[in-house]
Amino acid sequence: MLDAARRGGYAYPAINVTSTQTLNAALQGFAEAESDGIIQVSVGGSAYFSGQSVNDRVTGSLAFAAFAHEVAKKYPNITVALHTDHCAKQYLDEWVRPLLAHEADEVAHGKEPTFQSHMWDGSTVPLDENLDIAEELLDKSVKAHTVLEIEIGAVGGEEDGHSHEINDKLYSTPADGVKVAQRLGLGERGRYMAAFTFGNVHGAYKPGFVKLRPDLLGDIQREVATAVVDGRIASAAGAVDFPAGKPFALVFHGGSGSRPEEIAEAVSHGVVKMNVDTDTQYAFTRAIAGHMFSHYDAVLKIDGEVGNKKFYDPRSWGREAETSMAARVVEACQELGSAGKALK
């Protein structure tokens, strides 16, 4: 999938899900768009999947993945990858490291790994420490046959209890890109994706609230490609063929609320994955709110009446919510250029 996107100049929506309903909505959306895609769980979403009384990230992640593997069989015309999103340092030992160990054991026994990729979010630690941990996780990812995602710089706003101020730390530099490639290589040591920040903010915000600079991604790609040629990244010299001269497979975080032209420019600089969460959350919940407001007296037993079961049956509003979220997934596929390009 990543190779096809890099060669074709498009990106995949990575849809955060928190339930089997939102997972089904994501699959429905990808199928309707005839697009491959990525479905992911966050640190909070993985725990939520296990049930609030269990509250265990590994259990929730494996339950999510088992359901996804089973239901995805009914969508034979699309390819879907499973991903864990935004694992900060304090959650590594209770989430991503156990999953990587589980997947390495699966591979050792001739199976495919449960997940296809995992994200290490080192945005809250110094770059050198970030890359120390990334090197360790990349070695584990090779054994697990998974792809690693790293974050360089800080994404503003708030997601699942993690927050960053909106300031100059939202912008990575070309020098950061060179340092990443010097430490992790450019594929020869193991496959990874890099989320460099260019003004990204998690959550809902109006256009113009922050200054997105997708051109910065192009600066990073060009500087790293030059560094390979002039020998500053010696490990990759002559060893890697970069699609369209772009060394990194890039990730766009905080994509909700971005203008189509900003998304298109980011993709033109090598973005192959864009996280979509806030917009799909809203699409799902907006349909439920509409159902409840439209059928207020049916979903509540008012003044001694009995209501109307067909309207408070969770399947009635659940179908509306899934359809609404699926439509937003289709829109994301169209914006990123993956619609109609499912691998056969």
Side-chain angles (χ1 to χ4, degrees):
M1 286 173 60
L2 296 180
D3 290 342
R6 294 181 79 183
R7 288 193 304 265
Y10 58 90
Y12 299 108
I15 308 299
N16 280 77
V17 300
T18 54
S19 65
T20 55
Q21 284 188 302
T22 51
L23 169 55
N24 282 332
L27 288 169
Q28 178 182 332
F30 286 132
E32 290 176 356
E34 298 180 355
S35 170
D36 301 323
I38 299 165
I39 299 178
Q40 57 192 27
V41 286
S42 66
V43 62
S46 60
Y48 188 78
F49 253 106
S50 72
Q52 60 184 343
S53 63
V54 175
N55 198 39
D56 182 84
R57 293 180 179 88
V58 172
T59 298
S61 296
L62 294 177
F64 149 74
F67 186 91
H69 278 278
E70 196 63 33
V71 176
K73 294 175 184 177
K74 299 298 182 180
Y75 294 87
N77 295 323
I78 60 172
T79 301
V80 174
L82 304 181
H83 177 79
T84 59
D85 184 34
H86 281 286
C87 181
K89 182 179 178 180
Q90 64 266 37
Y91 303 118
L92 283 171
D93 286 339
E94 63 186 61
W95 190 26
V96 165
R97 284 190 179 116
L99 287 175
L100 283 169
H102 170 77
E103 289 156 346
D105 184 67
E106 288 179 308
V107 170
H109 288 85
K111 301 177 182 178
E112 291 293 323
T114 297
F115 283 83
Q116 283 64 61
S117 55
H118 300 283
M119 182 193 172
W120 150 235
D121 182 350
S123 61
T124 60
V125 302
L127 182 56
D128 284 336
E129 182 182 0
N130 184 343
L131 295 176
D132 286 342
I133 295 172
E135 283 189 289
E136 171 232 328
L137 295 175
L138 186 59
D139 289 341
K140 285 181 165 62
S141 297
V142 170
K143 293 178 181 177
H145 290 189
T146 59
V147 177
L148 179 67
E149 180 182 332
I150 63 171
E151 182 171 314
I152 306 300
V155 176
E158 188 275 334
E159 182 178 52
D160 264 346
H162 302 292
S163 62
H164 289 288
E165 294 181 3
I166 298 172
N167 54 33
D168 289 344
K169 292 182 179 179
L170 303 187
Y171 302 93
S172 300
T173 68
D176 293 336
V178 172
K179 191 164 191 176
V180 169
Q182 288 171 334
R183 292 287 300 275
L184 303 182
L186 288 169
E188 69 277 7
R189 287 190 51 187
R191 180 69 72 93
Y192 68 93
M193 299 176 282
F196 293 99
T197 52
F198 54 100
N200 321 58
V201 174
H202 284 135
Y205 58 93
K206 295 181 179 180
F209 178 64
V210 293
K211 174 66 174 175
L212 280 178
R213 290 185 51 207
D215 59 294
L216 182 57
L217 299 179
D219 294 341
I220 291 171
Q221 295 277 38
R222 285 187 290 273
E223 181 65 16
V224 171
T226 299
V228 171
V229 173
D230 65 26
R232 282 178 287 159
I233 306 174
S235 64
V240 182
D241 180 24
F242 309 132
K246 298 162 189 167
F248 288 120
L250 299 177
V251 180
F252 185 166
H253 287 178
S256 295
S258 300
R259 295 192 299 266
E261 58 269 26
E262 292 170 331
I263 294 172
E265 184 176 356
V267 171
S268 76
H269 293 309
V271 165
V272 294
K273 172 181 182 279
M274 186 178 86
N275 291 7
V276 182
D277 186 16
T278 302
D279 283 0
T280 46
Q281 284 182 350
Y282 179 75
F284 188 86
T285 301
R286 177 64 181 84
I288 297 172
H291 177 96
M292 299 304 172
F293 282 126
S294 297
H295 307 289
Y296 179 81
D297 56 346
V299 299
L300 296 178
K301 297 181 179 182
I302 301 172
D303 296 331
E305 295 298 325
V306 296
N308 188 327
K309 183 180 183 298
K310 73 176 183 178
F311 288 110
Y312 60 75
D313 183 333
R315 290 169 294 185
S316 64
W317 53 260
R319 291 188 184 98
E320 293 180 36
E322 289 181 29
T323 297
S324 176
M325 179 173 161
R328 183 61 184 86
V329 173
V330 171
E331 181 182 335
C333 294
Q334 293 168 340
E335 287 180 333
L336 292 169
S338 66
K341 296 176 182 174
L343 300 173
K344 303 299 183 183

